[in-house]
Amino acid sequence: MWRSLLPLGLNPDTGGYRRFAWNTADLACREWFRTEAAARGLDMETDRNGNLWAWWGPKGPGAVVTGSHLDSVPDGGAFDGPLGVVSAFAAIDVLRARGFTPAKPFAVACFSDEEGARFGVACAGSRLLTGALDPGKARALRDLDGVTMAEAMERAGQDPDTLGRDDERLAGVAAYVELHVEQGKALAFTESPVAVASAIWPHSRWRFDFGGEANHAGTTRLEDRRDPMLTYANTVLAARKKAKLGGAVATFGRLVVEPNGTNAIPSRVRAWLDVRAPAEEILAAVTEEIVQAAGERAGRDGTVLAAERESHTPVVEFDHVLRNLLTGTLRQSFGAVPVLPTGAGHDAGILAAAVPTAMLYVRNPSGVSHAPGEHAEDRDCLAGVTALADVLQELAQ
């Protein structure tokens, strides 16, 4: 499975992946999912929000669900998302080899557009499913080429008019367990190849529009310039300072410049800010300070600032009963496993508002994520499959 998935969406120049929602690579990954489901005799369906479901046995209430996502950030690593989907199918193989048949409905899910790389809203598929993202807003989201999410879905054969909260599907899920490569390297300093998630930090995404005046790079005096790039650059430094002082993390990771000429002062700089913190009040305070610093700098530079929050995910405490079941089950094969918080967002975090959710992490020796250097050793991945199978067997018997 892993070898057949690796070439899909691979950028040979960087070694990273460009699997963005509804693009050619994403559609190839969806077809890969269908092929693996069919190979196991699973009943495939696509829900109203574009998420994929593969059912082992009959559908019904009280379902046990596992899975993750297959899309990527720009030039992302191979493991973030796909490890959870591959491990879910592999766990079914393990359970069947044990002679186990689930007594409860059982599904592997692949959620759409988890990374938000194309349309700017992370976990779009699970947000739509739970009602956390307005369908009208989702349909109107545009990529950098001006293509709306609705248009992209239509081109891929998915009806955007069906988007929205799916109460019936949510009511049928009793537990969702997501396996994911560790994003960080806490496990690298332990003897354990796996860990259980405790919570996800709250985080927000903001769009900053810095407006100025385009002009000649060689003939415009410094004192005559209204350069939005200068305001942006100072805002990046302010974000780093405010985050460090406040105990948060803040990152400007995406940038669009107009007119984007080497010898032209920009007329507009559009940038996206990602802010995460261990508590809601810290997140709010640090973000407010960054926006304030950007506004003050814009006033000095003669530029104009517009800052808009595009998404927010509150702190997630994973279901304590389910979390305790995971740690108790894993103790039998792995001993006491670490229980770790994370600053990374996941579909499990979005679904937690509607159904009991839990997460397993597989050790990442490099600590690198969202980059080609992301890695997990084969033996640790196999340990993750065993751990997931053990947990799913306990839940579905």
Side-chain angles (χ1 to χ4, degrees):
M1 280 189 290
W2 193 251
R3 285 194 297 271
S4 65
L5 184 59
L6 279 178
L8 305 182
L10 179 65
N11 179 1
D13 294 331
T14 66
Y17 288 87
R18 296 184 178 180
R19 300 164 174 163
F20 308 147
W22 309 107
N23 75 355
T24 301
D26 185 51
L27 296 180
C29 288
R30 287 170 173 268
E31 186 57 36
W32 174 92
F33 184 93
R34 293 185 181 94
T35 299
E36 294 300 333
R40 290 164 178 78
L42 307 182
D43 184 18
M44 252 291 305
E45 65 169 334
T46 304
D47 70 17
R48 60 191 290 182
N49 296 299
N51 305 309
L52 305 178
W53 300 74
W55 293 90
W56 179 12
K59 294 169 56 178
V64 174
V65 183
T66 186
S68 191
H69 64 96
L70 292 174
D71 65 307
S72 75
V73 299
D75 289 322
F79 291 80
D80 181 354
L83 181 63
V85 178
V86 170
S87 297
F89 284 129
I92 290 179
D93 298 341
V94 169
L95 292 173
R96 284 176 166 169
R98 293 176 182 175
F100 176 78
T101 300
K104 300 175 182 178
F106 188 107
V108 176
C110 177
F111 290 98
S112 177
D113 199 5
E114 194 269 356
E115 297 291 5
R118 183 174 183 183
F119 297 106
V121 176
C123 300
S126 53
R127 287 182 191 273
L128 285 162
L129 172 64
T130 58
L133 175 59
D134 177 75
K137 178 180 178 180
R139 284 189 284 265
L141 292 171
R142 293 183 180 272
D143 66 13
L144 294 179
D145 294 321
V147 178
T148 66
M149 180 182 285
E151 292 168 341
M153 294 180 71
E154 286 180 335
R155 293 172 186 175
Q158 179 76 20
D159 184 1
D161 292 335
T162 64
L163 295 179
R165 181 178 169 91
D166 193 336
D167 287 310
E168 182 179 358
R169 187 172 297 273
L170 291 170
V173 178
Y176 173 70
V177 179
E178 181 172 354
L179 179 145
H180 204 280
V181 68
E182 182 189 11
Q183 293 172 289
K185 56 178 181 178
L187 286 176
F189 305 106
T190 75
E191 296 299 318
S192 180
V194 296
V196 173
S198 59
I200 297 177
W201 282 12
H203 58 278
S204 297
R205 288 186 178 186
W206 287 70
R207 190 186 75 214
F208 284 62
D209 284 294
F210 302 93
E213 182 180 50
N215 216 326
H216 197 290
T219 61
T220 309
R221 299 187 309 163
L222 293 180
E223 54 267 35
D224 292 337
R225 298 183 181 208
R226 294 172 53 220
D227 186 353
M229 186 66 81
L230 182 63
T231 313
Y232 162 71
N234 278 274
T235 303
V236 172
L237 298 176
R240 173 60 180 263
K241 180 178 179 180
K242 302 301 183 184
K244 185 174 182 179
L245 293 175
V249 292
T251 308
F252 277 100
R254 184 180 174 200
L255 182 69
V256 176
V257 181
E258 298 174 6
N260 204 29
T262 303
N263 58 350
I265 299 165
S267 60
R268 179 179 300 276
V269 173
R270 177 171 292 174
W272 282 262
L273 172 71
D274 182 300
V275 189
R276 311 182 189 219
E280 292 281 359
E281 59 271 19
I282 297 175
L283 179 69
V286 169
T287 304
E288 182 179 357
E289 290 174 358
I290 295 172
V291 174
Q292 182 178 350
E296 291 173 354
R297 183 70 203 196
R300 294 199 297 273
D301 294 339
T303 56
V304 178
L305 169 70
E308 178 184 353
R309 191 175 75 177
E310 291 193 330
S311 68
H312 173 73
T313 305
V315 63
V316 173
E317 282 282 345
F318 286 111
D319 185 87
H320 286 206
V321 173
L322 191 53
R323 189 176 75 192
N324 291 339
L325 183 145
L326 263 64
T327 55
T329 300
L330 297 184
R331 188 175 292 112
Q332 301 173 34
S333 299
F334 296 92
V337 299
V339 179
L340 304 173
T342 182
H346 301 283
D347 291 309
I350 302 300
L351 295 171
V355 300
T357 64
M359 289 192 69
L360 290 170
Y361 298 134
V362 171
R363 180 164 49 198
N364 177 348
S366 69
V368 174
S369 188
H370 282 188
E374 186 176 77
H375 183 67
E377 297 290 341
D378 287 353
R379 62 180 180 275
D380 289 345
C381 293
L382 292 172
V385 171
T386 299
L388 182 61
D390 290 349
V391 167
L392 296 173
Q393 182 170 336
E394 183 68 23
L395 286 169
Q397 64 186 357

